[in-house]
Amino acid sequence: KGVYGPPVGKKCIVFIDDLNMPTKEVYGAQPPIEILRQYLDHNGWYDNKEKTFRTIIDMMYVCAMGPPGGGRTFITPRFLRWFNVISVTEFDNEAMTGIFESIIKFEFDKRAVSQTIKGLKDAVIKSTMDVYDSALEKLLPTPMKSHYLFNLRDFGRVIFGFLMADTSKLTNSEQVARLWVHEILRVYYDRLNDDADREWLIQYIREVLKKNWSLDLNKMMEHLMTEADEGVVGIPQMRRLIFTDFCGPDGKGGYAEVPDPQKAIEVCNTFLDDY
């Protein structure tokens, strides 16, 4: 009695991510960490109602955390002593460039993409790297923005999202650049919960396009703007840039840009009516 755990002969593994995100209280303790430490020290917790100790067996804890800084803190050694600590070195920019350059080259060769579009491969990788590095530096996690955590997976999401489109049908650099911008928005912009951060990202995208693509953001988005926009791309205008795979005939088709955002709304409403 009073002993709990998984079925006999099995182990229960609990994974805890962002272990060092809890804010320290006035005396420097982290209450969530102390609760976990109580289990590791004493193999259980007290029942608040019956005031009895509940022993929990056959449990294993696996945790992950980033280096201290930007909302992440140091963990007390009293807690860390229970773990085998494994540190993983991040890929440097050269390694990441090599990985994703090979992936894009393979996909472009397989799809018989034109030489003009193949020539933009370096711009796609360099621009993605620039946004990734700047996001790590500028968009730091805090207790109110604990989800501002960017890593190699986000870099990959941009590249694989870019490759979802039928790149063999792209004919000029502006089409490719809009596709790249859309994937940056879906991976980074959609995670932002502050207009100041959104404005910063749009401005940085503008700078990256000018530096790596020799393109002007306002000009390449002019087909989506109205007279009221006065030719300037901001938060409302960026929301009109849509790539999807459900705006083709019968709600099907390849992943492609929707030139008229109203069409995407009408298609969604049709699906809702059918549902």
Side-chain angles (χ1 to χ4, degrees):
K1 184 179 179 180
V3 178
Y4 299 86
V8 177
K10 295 188 176 182
K11 290 271 189 180
C12 177
I13 300 176
V14 178
F15 177 71
I16 304 171
D17 202 2
D18 299 324
L19 183 68
N20 57 345
M21 282 300 290
T23 305
K24 291 188 177 183
E25 43 106 282
V26 65
Y27 297 107
Q30 295 165 285
I33 299 297
E34 296 305 316
I35 289 291
L36 292 171
R37 189 166 72 88
Q38 182 181 21
Y39 168 77
L40 294 173
D41 285 348
H42 304 288
N43 294 317
W45 290 288
Y46 279 95
D47 185 310
N48 285 334
K49 291 184 178 179
E50 300 180 8
K51 310 302 181 188
T52 57
F53 190 78
R54 302 294 179 90
T55 301
I56 304 174
I57 61 173
D58 295 331
M59 298 282 288
M60 178 185 293
Y61 282 81
V62 179
C63 306
M65 62 183 182
R72 296 185 290 260
T73 59
F74 288 94
I75 297 295
T76 171
R78 293 178 177 179
F79 182 72
L80 287 181
R81 70 191 178 95
W82 289 105
F83 292 88
N84 294 313
V85 180
I86 301 173
S87 178
V88 180
T89 304
E90 292 187 16
F91 289 109
D92 59 23
N93 288 2
E94 184 178 352
M96 290 175 64
T97 297
I99 292 169
F100 291 105
E101 188 176 63
S102 300
I103 293 172
I104 293 181
K105 183 179 184 302
F106 173 78
E107 290 293 333
F108 277 6
D109 291 343
K110 186 171 68 173
R111 302 177 190 184
V113 175
S114 68
Q115 289 299 321
T116 301
I117 304 303
K118 282 183 178 180
L120 298 171
K121 167 174 60 67
D122 292 340
V124 172
I125 296 173
K126 178 68 167 62
S127 300
T128 307
M129 181 68 71
D130 287 345
V131 173
Y132 173 74
D133 286 341
S134 293
L136 291 178
E137 180 183 351
K138 301 290 186 181
L139 303 175
L140 300 175
T142 66
M144 293 297 292
K145 302 174 182 178
S146 60
H147 58 291
Y148 279 26
L149 299 167
F150 305 101
N151 53 44
L152 182 62
R153 288 193 297 268
D154 299 299
F155 195 111
R157 288 187 185 107
V158 174
I159 300 301
F160 291 123
F162 176 85
L163 293 173
M164 283 174 58
D166 187 351
T167 46
S168 63
K169 294 182 179 179
L170 300 176
T171 58
N172 59 61
S173 60
E174 287 195 357
Q175 291 177 333
V176 178
R178 283 197 296 272
L179 172 60
W180 174 80
V181 169
H182 179 268
E183 300 313 311
I184 290 292
L185 295 178
R186 300 292 73 82
V187 173
Y188 294 94
Y189 182 94
D190 289 351
R191 205 180 303 182
L192 307 180
N193 60 3
D194 183 276
D195 277 349
D197 293 337
R198 297 185 184 107
E199 291 285 3
W200 171 83
L201 181 59
I202 292 173
Q203 180 59 32
Y204 191 71
I205 289 173
R206 189 188 307 276
E207 295 171 7
V208 169
L209 287 170
K210 186 175 182 179
K211 180 179 70 172
N212 297 335
W213 303 72
S214 299
L215 291 174
D216 180 71
L217 179 62
N218 294 338
K219 186 176 180 181
M220 59 179 262
M221 294 275 286
E222 61 186 1
H223 66 296
L224 296 173
M225 290 195 279
T226 64
E227 292 183 4
D229 297 327
E230 299 180 348
V232 179
V233 174
I235 292 175
Q237 294 74 30
M238 276 298 197
R239 288 173 178 159
R240 299 174 196 156
L241 180 61
I242 301 172
F243 278 75
T244 184
D245 60 359
F246 59 75
C247 281
D250 301 322
K252 300 178 181 179
Y255 189 63
E257 183 179 3
V258 181
D260 181 9
Q262 187 60 37
K263 180 181 178 182
I265 295 174
E266 292 171 358
V267 171
C268 289
N269 286 334
T270 300
F271 285 143
L272 287 172
D273 291 340
D274 292 343
Y275 178 76

